[in-house]
Amino acid sequence: MIVLGIESSCDETGVALYAPATGLVAHRLHSQIDLHAEYGGVVPELASRDHIRRLPQLIALTLSDAGIVPRELGAIGYTAGPGLAGALLVGASVAEAMAFALGIPALPIHHLEGHLLSPMLAADGPDFPFVALLVSGGHTQLMRVDGVGRYQLLGESVDDAAGEAFDKTAKLLGLGYPGGPELARLAEHGTAGRTPLPRPMLRADHLDFSFSGLKTAVLTAFDNGCRNADERADLAAEFQQAVTDVLVAKSLKAVEQSGLDTLVVAGGVGANRHLRSELAQACAGRGWRVCYPEPELCTDNGAMIAFAASLRLQAGLAESTDLGITVRPRWPLEQASAGTVR
Ligand code: KG4
Ligand code: ZN
């Protein structure tokens, strides 16, 4: 059984082929970074148009990379939410139409489910159960994961997501889009602690996060005299350290409270090297395992969607969509639980 996965929720068109017997067969990605760069952020209408332009060709190329023809496909998984409505509709329409033409199932997949299962694609990936830290541009969540479709929300951001905070802070510091990697690069040249920033909700009992105040604190520090490149780098380093401190502390608390010994980190911010090294150190000291997706699968991609669809099929959690092309721009992950894909 070969599953085609399609991701088009934001600014990346991702296509992949996954087979349970052999693993990831092929995957391709087209990033729209150049398209949105001059606007300093994603322009939804441009994103949708570009997905339409790229997706059919990307599917054809991915199939040809693997030497596979469409009638060999067993199912098609696509991101049905959360994300940009127009962008999601492109992937949903193409996937549903192809599946109908081929007489195979189409599976609407939750984008965050794709992210949180993606570390299991690695050769030495984790087994269930584990705690997942999901840190993307739109979400910051801690989940307990007991199996496919068995997700329990432990805590989440009450305002900005960690990636959003990185992006907004980067913009404030005059950096380009996408802000996260740019800010991380600048932080390498700076020293944390020179312009102290708060660690919101660090000591609170609960596992929720708040990052919007941190962004405001950066704005104040910036306005109060951040005049040269060195000071900007120091501020970037302190911001990265503040986000890292909070993410590490809450993740450790979540693993400890759950009684489990594995932490999975997924989503774009999981590519941050500073966060990775601090988490690795903290978990190693406690004898816990910390797992990430392969670096190229940290940010949005089709492989995680093909993989999640394949796991859902294996678990008997695929529902017929009856050619219903519906997307859910807002979609809590707990609602994508066992048997209730829609
Ligand atoms: O998971 P993702 O590709 O898309 C969403 O589902 O949102 O995550 C994108 C987010 C952006 O906010 C981006 O700035 C952030 O991940 N990001 C990073 C890094 N690489 C990507 N943030 C901090 N450090 C990085 N190295
Ligand atoms: Zn994502």
Side-chain angles (χ1 to χ4, degrees):
M1 154 82 79
I2 300 170
V3 180
L4 172 69
I6 296 175
E7 156 63 34
S8 71
S9 66
C10 191
D11 56 351
E12 250 119 22
T13 320
V15 173
L17 293 164
Y18 179 83
T22 47
L24 190 59
V25 181
H27 82 108
R28 279 188 178 246
L29 191 71
H30 174 78
S31 168
Q32 301 179 351
I33 285 180
D34 293 345
L35 183 67
H36 302 293
E38 68 174 292
Y39 304 99
V42 181
V43 183
E45 178 62 25
L46 294 184
S48 312
R49 288 187 214 171
D50 200 60
H51 285 307
I52 293 173
R53 232 183 339 258
R54 307 282 175 183
L55 191 51
Q57 192 194 14
L58 216 55
I59 292 173
L61 288 171
T62 310
L63 287 169
S64 112
D65 288 345
I68 283 168
V69 293
R71 67 169 183 284
E72 290 176 82
L73 296 173
I76 302 179
Y78 63 90
T79 304
L84 303 170
L88 290 166
L89 277 167
V90 176
S93 314
V94 170
E96 290 285 351
M98 257 186 97
F100 178 72
L102 294 167
I104 58 176
L107 282 81
I109 298 296
H110 195 292
H111 181 80
L112 295 180
E113 178 174 54
H115 273 307
L116 77 81
L117 296 176
S118 63
M120 300 180 86
L121 267 166
D124 59 347
D127 294 320
F128 298 122
F130 52 76
V131 170
L133 171 68
L134 279 172
V135 268
S136 69
H139 294 83
T140 301
Q141 296 186 327
L142 277 161
M143 314 272 318
R144 181 188 165 109
V145 180
D146 283 293
V148 182
R150 296 172 60 200
Y151 312 124
Q152 185 194 344
L153 183 66
L154 304 174
E156 65 182 333
S157 177
V158 297
D159 42 53
D160 291 354
E164 190 179 356
F166 262 95
D167 293 338
K168 288 177 175 170
T169 303
K171 209 168 193 173
L172 221 136
L173 295 177
L175 302 173
Y177 152 88
E182 292 273 326
L183 194 143
R185 255 191 299 278
L186 179 61
E188 280 175 23
H189 303 288
T191 305
R194 287 198 177 139
T195 319
L197 294 171
R199 269 63 174 160
M201 294 187 175
L202 183 69
R203 310 218 176 279
D205 274 345
H206 55 71
L207 294 170
D208 287 337
F209 305 86
S210 166
F211 292 112
S212 75
L214 187 52
K215 174 196 64 199
T216 312
V218 172
L219 179 62
T220 309
F222 192 68
D223 286 347
N224 282 349
C226 177
R227 317 220 180 277
N228 56 41
D230 287 346
E231 285 177 7
R232 277 194 324 150
D234 288 344
L235 198 49
E238 172 66 2
F239 170 82
Q240 180 174 257
Q241 188 63 54
V243 174
T244 301
D245 285 349
V246 177
L247 292 176
V248 171
K250 299 270 175 179
S251 301
L252 296 181
K253 193 179 279 182
V255 178
E256 199 169 304
Q257 285 179 2
S258 69
L260 304 178
D261 61 2
T262 307
L263 175 70
V264 155
V265 185
V269 183
N272 186 278
R273 283 211 295 234
H274 188 65
L275 173 66
R276 283 186 176 223
S277 91
E278 299 247 323
L279 274 175
Q281 218 176 327
C283 286
R286 289 164 176 79
W288 297 342
R289 210 176 151 203
V290 54
C291 307
Y292 301 93
E294 302 287 350
E296 61 175 334
L297 301 182
C298 262
T299 49
D300 294 349
N301 63 83
M304 66 185 195
I305 304 303
F307 182 58
S310 175
L311 289 187
R312 277 197 168 263
L313 278 168
Q314 282 174 272
L317 297 178
E319 287 183 348
S320 163
T321 54
D322 295 326
L323 245 195
I325 300 175
T326 313
V327 294
R328 295 186 61 176
R330 290 172 188 276
W331 187 8
L333 181 55
E334 314 86 272
Q335 288 179 15
S337 55
T340 51
V341 182
R342 287 219 156 221

